Amino acid sequence: MINLSPLLMRNNFSALALFAPSLVTDVDGKATVSFTLPDNITRYRILAIAAAGNDKFGMGKSSLTTKMPLGIKPSAPRFLHSGDRFELPVVLQNQTDHPLKTEVAIRATNAVIKEPGRSLVIPANDRVEVRFSGITTGFGKAYFQCAAVSGALRDSAEFGLPIYIPSTSVTVAASGSITSGVLSEPLAVPRDVYGEYGGLRMTTSSSAVNALAPAADYLNNYAYNCSEQISSRLIARLSLRDNLRAFGGLSGDAAEQFEQRIKDDVQLLQQRQRNNGSFALWNVHETGAWPFVTCQVTQALKMAQSKGYAVRSDVLDRALYQ
């Protein structure tokens, strides 16, 4: 007779079966905890740590093995790409003392399996690997269900894999001048694009300077702060400031933050001037002379002063004398 009872899918494959941080023993020194094992067919390590008072401690180890007469274990990759052709290995394990004639099947969403069903014989106390070929048909996530049946023995499992889009964005720039009338710019859709993913974004500007806004963001988030790097950052910010303001690359909170970063860099560089007028890499107490750094810091401070920022005159006088 064929067993038509529904299969219960195993889907909880957590490596942690139980974590009980606080148990109290009874008068006989015994503690009991009840829990439900995950769906893994594996061996669990049991570790117990006991403490009594401030000076009594103990630890014990054991293990627990879970198994089924007929077990199915998918060995899936970590992810797939859209359009991938793949092989999905499934391991069938026979824990009985006699061979098992077994039917195994698999089904999927967001993927097509070439040959979803197989018949095979698993030797006694042995395992067999079956590989299912397939191809992804979408993106997001692919879900799989696989099952094995041999008479009254059965097992099944389900799992999901992310499907990534192997895509990159493409930026194309076109420039020209308009003195009168209308300018037309042809647009061709690239080949091999993913119609269901991404999109088209167009921006216009009266100057190519607007494209420097990402460079300004990079400078704002630049995290290295020796004097050579601070002065390089300051010179770049001062060079970009007027153009970004004029063509809309800086406005609102972003403009205030940009201004504050310039003032902070000016203040920090001034604090690193030593008594002889030179500038240290990190602090005034370090040893060593850095003439090229001193020249660059002085140039940055002079540039900041010419842009209207407050720079102490005595700092510049000592630097120029140096």
Side-chain angles (χ1 to χ4, degrees):
M1 179 180 293
I2 300 176
N3 189 343
L4 297 178
S5 60
L7 291 167
L8 298 178
M9 290 288 172
R10 292 189 292 114
N11 53 25
N12 179 12
F13 300 112
S14 173
L16 180 65
L18 171 71
F19 176 65
S22 179
L23 294 174
V24 179
T25 62
D26 58 19
V27 293
D28 296 322
K30 296 181 179 180
T32 302
V33 60
S34 299
F35 62 97
T36 300
L37 283 170
D39 295 334
N40 292 310
I41 301 176
T42 186
R43 174 178 294 177
Y44 292 95
R45 186 180 66 165
I46 302 174
L47 175 65
I49 299 174
N54 296 323
D55 57 353
K56 296 179 178 64
F57 305 93
M59 182 179 70
K61 295 181 181 180
S62 184
S63 63
L64 172 66
T65 301
T66 60
K67 63 181 183 179
M68 299 177 67
L70 173 64
I72 186 168
K73 183 178 181 181
S75 182
R78 290 181 300 164
F79 61 88
L80 296 168
H81 281 129
S82 180
D84 269 357
R85 297 183 182 273
F86 62 90
E87 283 192 341
L88 180 61
V90 175
V91 177
L92 302 173
Q93 187 165 11
N94 178 5
Q95 297 274 11
T96 69
D97 295 329
H98 51 83
L100 292 178
K101 184 178 180 181
T102 306
E103 304 288 335
V104 58
I106 187 170
R107 64 181 180 182
T109 59
N110 267 352
V112 174
I113 305 299
K114 183 178 180 181
E115 188 181 349
R118 308 277 181 87
S119 296
L120 67 153
V121 175
I122 311 173
N125 296 302
D126 202 353
R127 63 183 66 187
V128 175
E129 182 189 72
V130 182
R131 289 179 173 263
F132 293 94
S133 299
I135 182 171
T136 57
T137 57
F139 63 96
K141 199 165 188 177
Y143 292 93
F144 299 86
Q145 291 182 332
C146 49
V149 177
S150 178
L153 302 179
R154 52 184 51 207
D155 188 27
S156 57
E158 63 180 358
F159 58 94
L161 296 176
I163 301 178
Y164 297 131
I165 304 293
S167 64
T168 57
S169 60
V170 178
T171 302
V172 179
S175 61
S177 60
I178 301 176
T179 55
S180 62
V182 177
L183 177 66
S184 297
E185 186 69 35
L187 176 65
V189 178
R191 294 180 299 173
D192 301 326
V193 299
Y194 294 95
E196 67 276 8
Y197 180 79
L200 173 67
R201 184 165 63 95
M202 300 179 62
T203 59
T204 59
S205 174
S206 58
S207 169
V209 175
N210 193 50
L212 295 177
D217 292 337
Y218 173 79
L219 292 174
N220 278 337
N221 297 313
Y222 192 74
Y224 304 102
N225 284 326
C226 82
S227 297
E228 178 186 4
Q229 292 161 325
I230 294 173
S231 56
S232 297
R233 180 174 67 202
L234 181 58
I235 291 172
R237 281 178 175 153
L238 291 169
S239 301
L240 288 170
R241 188 196 66 166
D242 294 340
N243 286 326
L244 289 175
R245 279 179 171 179
F247 294 101
L250 281 178
S251 60
D253 293 340
E256 293 181 8
Q257 185 184 55
F258 195 83
E259 287 291 320
Q260 189 58 48
R261 293 289 179 87
I262 291 177
K263 295 175 182 178
D264 292 343
D265 284 350
V266 169
Q267 183 65 22
L268 186 55
L269 289 175
Q270 291 181 129
Q271 294 172 356
R272 293 185 179 180
Q273 188 177 45
R274 295 187 281 199
N275 292 332
N276 63 0
S278 65
F279 290 90
L281 278 176
W282 295 99
N283 62 74
V284 295
H285 303 295
E286 67 189 31
T287 59
W290 313 98
F292 294 104
V293 173
T294 296
C295 290
Q296 182 162 294
V297 172
T298 303
Q299 179 187 5
L301 293 177
K302 285 287 291 181
M303 189 174 180
Q305 186 187 53
S306 69
K307 296 283 187 180
Y309 294 94
V311 180
R312 287 166 43 195
S313 57
D314 61 311
V315 170
L316 286 177
D317 290 344
R318 286 200 302 270
L320 293 172
Y321 177 78
Q322 168 69 16

